[in-house]
Amino acid sequence: MSTRSSNFKNPFSRPWMTETGAAAAAGGSGSIGLKGVVAGGITGGIEICITFPTEYVKTQLQLDEKGGTKKYSGIWDCVRSTVKGHGFFGLYRGLSVLLYGSIPKSAVRFGVFEQAKLYMITDNGTLTNTGKLACGLAAGVAEAVFAVTPMETVKVKFINDMRLEKPRFKGFFHGVGTIVREEGIGGVYKGVTATIMKQGSNQAIRFFVVESLRDWYKGGDRDKPVPKYVIGLFGGIAGAASVFGNTPIDVVKTRMQGLEAAKYKSTWDCFIKTWKHEGPLAFYKGTVPRLSRVVFDVAITFTIYDSIMDVFNYVWK
């Protein structure tokens, strides 16, 4: 066996997540890829149920424009109004969309990252800084096209629909059917450009930060274990970095996927109109609820996924 082949085995001698945490992809030889997909889906479902209310509030604030149509004065006003008008579970409007999309999103993200890593990994079994960014970017773009865009578009439309005096969508399948019937299949692909930009930058930033922090923690010893609480901490830092790095893209994406998206000719037109009518600070609407969600989200995703993979590797040979 060649030196290249010998070195190539090292990264897959145990689950990638045992070393890096949840934002990194699971995969490799044997059944590890399938384990990663299943574990990622389970992790995604748990994470969404815990953090979805902050995603709901963030989306509502991003859709809330200035002027007479403005509905909320801030985060707590949004929470209070929603609970008062629709009960506590009103904060979970659109949750089913994300639950339905968790498994395919995880499969695409993890699978593409591992495949990209095969091409980017160095002879000593590590990724360069460029490799970390490139693999994360590839994973983010792929998940945006194949899973996130339709899932996010429907989710935003569901939340936006709830803002109407008489909501039209009676449930997930009714809502999707209505959207496709009225707008065609393209109706669930609104904002695909902005979503690619968002997911690509999200995963590039997160993979880069987590991988870099992992390398720093290990200090050159690739077999040094990383405790779960440290994995969670690294995930939180990576999540915060991605929020500050791409919230403007997230705002544009949300508006391009809302029920009033027709007033924008393109992603660039949405950006220009938002800047012109609301100023640059509009691109950071919903930052606080998004920050609280993403930091917690990525941290627990790292920790939960790593723990599930430990169990899988014990019972699933």
Side-chain angles (χ1 to χ4, degrees):
M1 182 177 293
S2 67
T3 302
R4 173 71 177 180
S5 298
S6 177
N7 287 331
F8 170 74
K9 285 186 176 181
N10 287 329
F12 305 109
S13 59
R14 56 183 177 176
W16 179 261
M17 288 308 306
T18 301
E19 299 182 354
T20 64
S29 59
S31 64
I32 191 64
L34 181 57
K35 290 180 184 178
V37 170
V38 178
I42 295 172
T43 300
I46 295 173
E47 172 269 316
I48 290 169
C49 289
I50 294 173
T51 65
F52 186 81
T54 58
E55 172 69 13
Y56 173 88
V57 173
K58 179 217 70 168
T59 303
Q60 287 282 22
L61 293 179
Q62 289 181 342
L63 290 169
D64 207 23
E65 300 183 13
K66 289 183 177 180
T69 59
K70 186 174 178 63
K71 295 182 60 175
Y72 307 113
S73 60
I75 297 171
W76 294 113
D77 182 49
C78 178
V79 172
R80 184 170 55 252
S81 297
T82 300
V83 173
K84 182 179 179 180
H86 304 279
F88 174 76
F89 288 104
L91 294 171
Y92 281 87
R93 178 78 171 185
L95 172 64
S96 60
V97 179
L98 295 189
L99 286 175
Y100 294 145
S102 294
I103 292 178
K105 180 176 70 172
S106 297
V108 172
R109 178 192 299 170
F110 296 160
V112 170
F113 181 81
E114 283 297 343
Q115 190 62 38
K117 189 176 70 172
L118 296 180
Y119 294 100
M120 299 298 296
I121 202 164
T122 63
D123 288 338
N124 64 1
T126 61
L127 288 172
T128 63
N129 288 337
T130 299
K132 296 169 188 175
L133 287 170
C135 292
L137 179 63
V141 170
E143 72 176 9
V145 173
F146 295 107
V148 178
T149 298
M151 180 182 69
E152 285 285 302
T153 300
V154 175
K155 180 208 72 176
V156 171
K157 287 183 184 294
F158 264 63
I159 294 176
N160 209 165
D161 178 66
M162 194 174 180
R163 295 163 62 87
L164 302 177
E165 186 176 343
K166 295 181 179 180
R168 298 189 305 152
F169 302 152
K170 299 176 182 179
F172 174 75
F173 294 105
H174 176 263
V176 173
T178 300
I179 294 169
V180 173
R181 184 170 60 254
E182 295 179 352
E183 304 178 41
I185 192 65
V188 295
Y189 265 91
K190 297 292 186 181
V192 63
T193 301
T195 304
I196 287 174
M197 293 169 62
K198 177 197 171 184
Q199 295 306 119
S201 58
N202 254 346
Q203 300 308 327
I205 292 171
R206 291 175 188 176
F207 277 109
F208 178 80
V209 172
V210 170
E211 290 296 304
S212 296
L213 289 174
R214 179 182 66 85
D215 289 345
W216 167 78
Y217 185 88
K218 286 178 172 290
D221 180 2
R222 292 171 53 206
D223 293 324
K224 181 178 180 180
V226 182
K228 296 292 186 292
Y229 73 90
V230 175
I231 290 174
L233 176 61
F234 289 171
I237 295 173
S242 67
V243 168
F244 288 113
N246 75 358
T247 288
I249 298 174
D250 190 43
V251 171
V252 173
K253 175 200 71 71
T254 297
R255 293 192 172 187
M256 286 295 295
Q257 293 172 328
L259 295 178
E260 298 179 356
K263 68 182 181 179
Y264 303 119
K265 298 177 182 178
S266 64
T267 300
W268 180 247
D269 182 56
C270 178
F271 176 85
I272 294 298
K273 287 182 177 178
T274 301
W275 180 286
K276 180 179 179 180
H277 298 301
E278 302 177 60
L281 291 181
F283 293 105
Y284 278 90
K285 281 188 173 183
T287 296
V288 174
R290 186 185 180 214
L291 184 65
S292 63
R293 182 189 72 81
V294 171
V295 169
F296 187 46
D297 171 355
V298 181
I300 65 173
T301 298
F302 269 58
T303 308
I304 294 173
Y305 186 92
D306 195 64
S307 300
I308 291 175
M309 286 301 290
D310 283 348
V311 174
F312 276 11
N313 289 321
Y314 179 75
V315 302
W316 184 352
K317 303 299 184 181

